[in-house]
Structure formats: C-alpha cells, structure tokens
Amino acid sequence: MENLDYGIIGNCKSAALVSKTGSMDWCCLPNFNSAGIFAKLLDDEIGGSFEINAGDDYNITQEYLWETNILSTVFDNGQDAFQLIDFMPRYSRNDGTYYAPPDIIRFFRILKGTPKFKILYNPRLEFAREKTFNENKGSYIKSYTREGKYDSLFLYSSFDLDDILEHREITLTENSFCLLAYHEKLIPQTLDRSYLKFQRTKTYWMNWSEKTTRYSHYHNEIMRSALVLKALSYKKSGAVLAAATTSLPETIGEERNWDYRFCWIRDASMVIKVMAGLGHVQSAKEFLQFIIDIIPHKDEKIQIMYGINGEKELTEHILDHLKGYKGSSPVRTGNAAYIQKQNDIYGILMEVIYQQFLQFETSLENSEELWTIVRGIVMIVEENWQKPDKGIWELRTEDRHFVFSKLLCWVAIDRAIKIGEVLRMGINDTKWKTLRADIYNDIYNNGWNEEVQAYTQSYGSKDLDASTLLMESYGFIEAEDPRFVSTVRATEKELCRDGLMYRYKNKDDFGEPTSSFTICTFWLIDSLYKIGEREKARAMFDQLLSYSNHLGLFSEDIDFETKRLLGNFPQAYSHLALIETAANFSKGLVSEENFLGVF
C-alpha cells in the first residue's frame, strides 16, 4: 500500500491494524509491546498477515461503526456482498471489571448473493525470527514456533479449518466468524458467542463515546481522535502509548525509524490533559496513578519515557532480518532515548497534576503523594533548569539550551506555585516565586533573537523551531504580545511549506528533516487563530484534515510533495493536537454564530 490506509482496532491492552482491503498487517499479542504476530507492514515478504482475498471484481469500502473502535469493511461486486467486522473484545462484567482478552474477532456477515473469497492466514510469531508452524488440531488451528523463543497462537472458526490452511476458496452462505486468541480457549467457540461479544463491545464503545464532550463543529473529527487516544491507552497500568507501531519511517528510505510502543511522559501528559477536557476523568486519574507507581522514592529521577508496565530499561535492538517499511531499515524494538535528559517533561507533568487538583476530586492519600511529587519536581528543576539537554525532539548528539525546555521549566515552577495555592500550603512560596522569575527573565533575555525577531530553537541560535509556538498556550506570553506575533509570523515564513510545517530545518543527527511533522502544523494553525488570522487558520485546518487517511487517522509525519502519511501510526501526538485545535475552532465558531444571531 502506498499510504497508511489502515484502521486501528484495540481493547486497551493491544491493537491491530487492518488495511482498507481487509488485510490485518500489524498486530502484537498479548500486549502492545509484545512481539509481532503479523508484521507485513514492516516486511511484505516474511512479516505475516491475515488477509481476505475476494478478487478484483469486488468493490471494497471501509468505515468505523458509529462512534466505536469497531471496523467495518464491505466487499460488493454488485451481485454478491458481505461485511467483515473486525474488533478486539472489551466490555464490563457484572463485578465492574473488564473482559478484554488478547483476542481478535473477524465477523463475516452475508449481505446478498453467495460471496466467494479466500482467507490467507499467515501468522509469523516473534516478528518472524523463526519459522511458524500451523496445525489443524480439530477445533482450532495452532500456530507455534519450535526454535528460538517459544510462542503460540490459536485460531477458531466456523469455516472449515483445512480450507483456511490450504487457502481454498470459501463460499459464504451464512454468517461466520474467525476468532484469533493468544490463549487456548477453555470452552467451545461459536458464532453466537462471537456475535454476543460483538454486541457487548459495540455497547462499551458507544457508552464511552456518549460520555465525551460534544462540540457543535468538527464533532466527528474530535470523536474519532478521542477514540484513537483511548485505543492507545493501556488500561492495566494507566500508561498511554505514543503510537501502536515501531519503525515506520519519517521519510521513505531513511533511518529515522523508532519504536513508539512506549509511554513518553510528555506525550501521555498532553493526551491526558486533552482527555480530561473531554470529560474522561478516569483516564486522568489512571495516568496519575501510573506516575505515582513509577516514582516510589523521593530521590528517584523521572525518565522521559517508560514501558507500558512501568519498565525503566528499554534497550534498543535491531531486527535486521526484517527489511523495513518500503525497505526503510533498520527495524528497531526498544528505544535508546529512554536514557536522555529532557527538561521539558517536568513542566508538562506538573500541568497535568495542576489540572487534576483544580478540576477534580482527589483523595487525601493521592493528594499527599502528588504533593510529594510536586516538591520533588521543583527540586529537580531548581538543580537542572540552567543545564543544556536533548530537547523535545530528542536529538542524539550535543546538548543545547533549548528554549522549549526552558519554557517548560518555567511552567513547572509556575504550576507548582498554583498547586500550592489550591492546597493552601504556602510552602517555599517566596523561594519558588523567585525561581519562576529567574527562569522567565532568562528565557526573555536569551531565547529571543533580535535579528530574527523571534524566539528561536536554542539560546544564541538563529534557527527557528515549531515548539516555540506553544509559548502562549502555556501562559508565558499573551497572544497580543508583539514578540509572540512576530515569532508566529517568522516561524511560519521559515518552516511552513504548502500549508505543512517542519519541526525545524537545521541539520540534526541524520541530516536535514525532509517531511512535515503533523503536530507542528496544528500548532501553527492554533497560533494563527490566536493572533487574529482566523480565516487563514481555518482554511489551513480544513486542508490539513483532508490529508488524513480514509478513516480520519493521522500518523506522525506527512510527505510535503505527495501528502502521504509517514511515521508511526496512529500517532497520539497528532490526534491530541487535532482535538485541541478543533475544539478552539468550534468554540470560536459558536461564539461568532451567537453574535450574529443577535441581529
């Protein structure tokens, strides 16, 4: 496929990607960070997939069932038609717990005629490191490895299992199912049982969506993005993944390929802030508990990222037997960035804690733990804010005094002071206010470049960086301030190309960036809107939305020339920015309509 034309299905423990032709080309079981069972996305020869081949005479259309993470793919040749419904079960039990096994159900619903197709079932366990064997065991197909690390998988179906194994043509005469399970089932699997799981899962997603704040404009885009963010949330621990995939390149043929199946404190904190704003308070509480759990000691430093279960070591490995997406190697598991020092994470995390105290009820025990974390973060910022770091973009070479990192250090102290005010603590109030002023003055004097007339990427640099567009959002500067207006216009002139944004254009560890970083375009649109260029901003926003895939999903990057989606997918960063921007537009449009309604 020439674009990332995939839909994501998931159950808050793992996820799978299904192409617009019904091929399951990516899935890791039993969890998000497990080895791949299907990885055709990273190697179309040996990666493995679960395909439905209905022939060239079928027209194929795909959409999500209304306000769910259940995917519908319809095959229709005019005379014969069937619907393929893909989902991972998730629903509440009577005791309040959730049924969310590492299972995938593919439900085949006959629409008319006698459709014919082949099922090409080709799992490649453990990222295809060793050969996978498939055997018909009577009531299921067992797939397993004999060499290397042992792994296994079970496929149950109402179809003839040998027809599946032999890739024979199947004639659909009644509704049927395939159930892919990581664990062997203890009771018989039937069509009725799969259908019941479908209805319960649909109800779960519709109930979840019903609790989401509704906007008068761009509601569908906001809702789809919220469902993506929910699908990337790991219910067991409260962690939020950056994306569901690894090693999808920022540019075809280059080596900017990273494993994003981890929880970045920065990304996750931004996601949780957005989700809480949409009314999903529980997600915010679960993430804060995740933070409390991974910082058990007062002297323990905060990493920039963790595994989804709080793992602290995320050693990077190369899977050199996989050729990579469109030949873009290397394929990586793990992420060496976990050892980096990035001072911006403290401010973003503190902002989430502040919003928690400000908006929601917090238990006394929880409040005391969070207050300990707040004081600990202040101490870390006090010791480190004057030091260079790797910055938001995780440069792997020299450390610099990045303006965004300094900005978020200021945010950390500012929000700590405000949290103290909410709690009426008054602890270190004068000292903290002095520290806040010192950081502010340092940014004001050293982050601004008089010649460029903008806040730049780092102290002493003329290079512009899209992250400085967030200075107003975090309360450092007013939208009407001439410095902010000038920064927005200079950044747009330097980094915007045909309505899409670079993160920066200066050389980094791998040369000059060549693709657009999606979240940065949303940041520019937001900034233009705030400085009064509303019509221009809205036109850019509508144009950017048109670059999503057929289901409204975004990856990390977009190719400037072809508008092809690139980078890991779907990207939480991109979708949280979409929600924030769309919500701002919706509020503004409602205000304009109310104003016009007076006359």
Side-chain angles (χ1 to χ4, degrees), residues 20 98 131 140 173 242 292 319 373 402 427 443 540 562:
K20 64 181 179 181
Y98 287 93
K131 182 177 179 179
Y140 56 80
T173 57
I292 290 170
L319 304 183
I373 291 174
F402 289 101
I427 297 175
I443 297 169
M540 286 183 67
T562 65

Side-chain angles (χ1 to χ4, degrees), residues 392-393 402-405 407-408 455-457 464-472 474 487 491 495 501-504 520 523:
I392 183 175
W393 307 126
F402 289 101
V403 170
F404 186 76
S405 295
L407 168 69
L408 269 295
Y455 284 102
T456 56
Q457 184 181 70
L464 293 172
D465 191 301
S467 63
T468 61
L469 297 174
L470 297 178
M471 299 181 85
E472 185 274 343
Y474 283 112
T487 296
T491 304
L495 300 184
M501 286 284 287
Y502 289 95
R503 286 176 287 181
Y504 49 83
C520 296
W523 290 347

Side-chain angles (χ1 to χ4, degrees), residues 397-455:
T397 51
E398 62 175 321
D399 290 0
R400 302 179 196 172
H401 291 281
F402 289 101
V403 170
F404 186 76
S405 295
K406 306 294 186 186
L407 168 69
L408 269 295
C409 286
W410 176 86
V411 171
I413 306 305
D414 179 74
R415 302 313 190 260
I417 292 169
K418 291 176 179 176
I419 290 169
E421 291 171 351
V422 170
L423 298 176
R424 297 185 177 89
M425 299 301 291
I427 297 175
N428 294 324
D429 191 56
T430 302
K431 182 180 180 182
W432 288 5
K433 285 184 176 179
T434 300
L435 176 59
R436 178 176 64 180
D438 288 344
I439 300 174
Y440 178 92
N441 292 331
D442 191 69
I443 297 169
Y444 188 87
N445 294 323
N446 298 310
W448 175 261
N449 187 297
E450 191 66 28
E451 181 180 346
V452 180
Q453 283 294 293
Y455 284 102

Side-chain angles (χ1 to χ4, degrees), residues 52 83 113 139 150-151 163 167 174 178 192 253 272 308 330 385 411 426 445 460 477 519 577:
I52 311 300
Q83 180 186 29
S139 59
Y150 176 78
D151 207 355
D163 286 348
H167 300 169
E174 59 184 355
C178 288
D192 288 347
I272 291 305
I308 59 175
W385 76 269
V411 171
N445 294 323
I477 194 170
I519 193 173

Side-chain angles (χ1 to χ4, degrees), residues 53-104:
N53 186 344
D56 296 336
D57 60 329
Y58 279 85
N59 180 52
I60 306 174
T61 56
Q62 190 176 65
E63 63 182 355
Y64 279 105
L65 299 189
W66 185 70
E67 297 193 347
T68 75
N69 276 322
I70 299 173
L71 197 59
S72 166
T73 310
V74 173
F75 298 74
D76 190 339
N77 66 5
Q79 181 177 351
D80 311 304
F82 68 98
Q83 180 186 29
L84 173 64
I85 298 173
D86 285 314
F87 68 99
M88 296 185 72
R90 180 173 179 79
Y91 51 84
S92 59
R93 298 186 178 101
N94 292 332
D95 62 0
T97 62
Y98 287 93
Y99 178 78
D103 293 356
I104 298 170

Side-chain angles (χ1 to χ4, degrees), residues 269-284:
S269 298
M270 289 180 172
V271 168
I272 291 305
K273 181 183 176 183
V274 167
M275 293 292 272
L278 290 175
H280 293 290
V281 181
Q282 189 60 32
S283 296

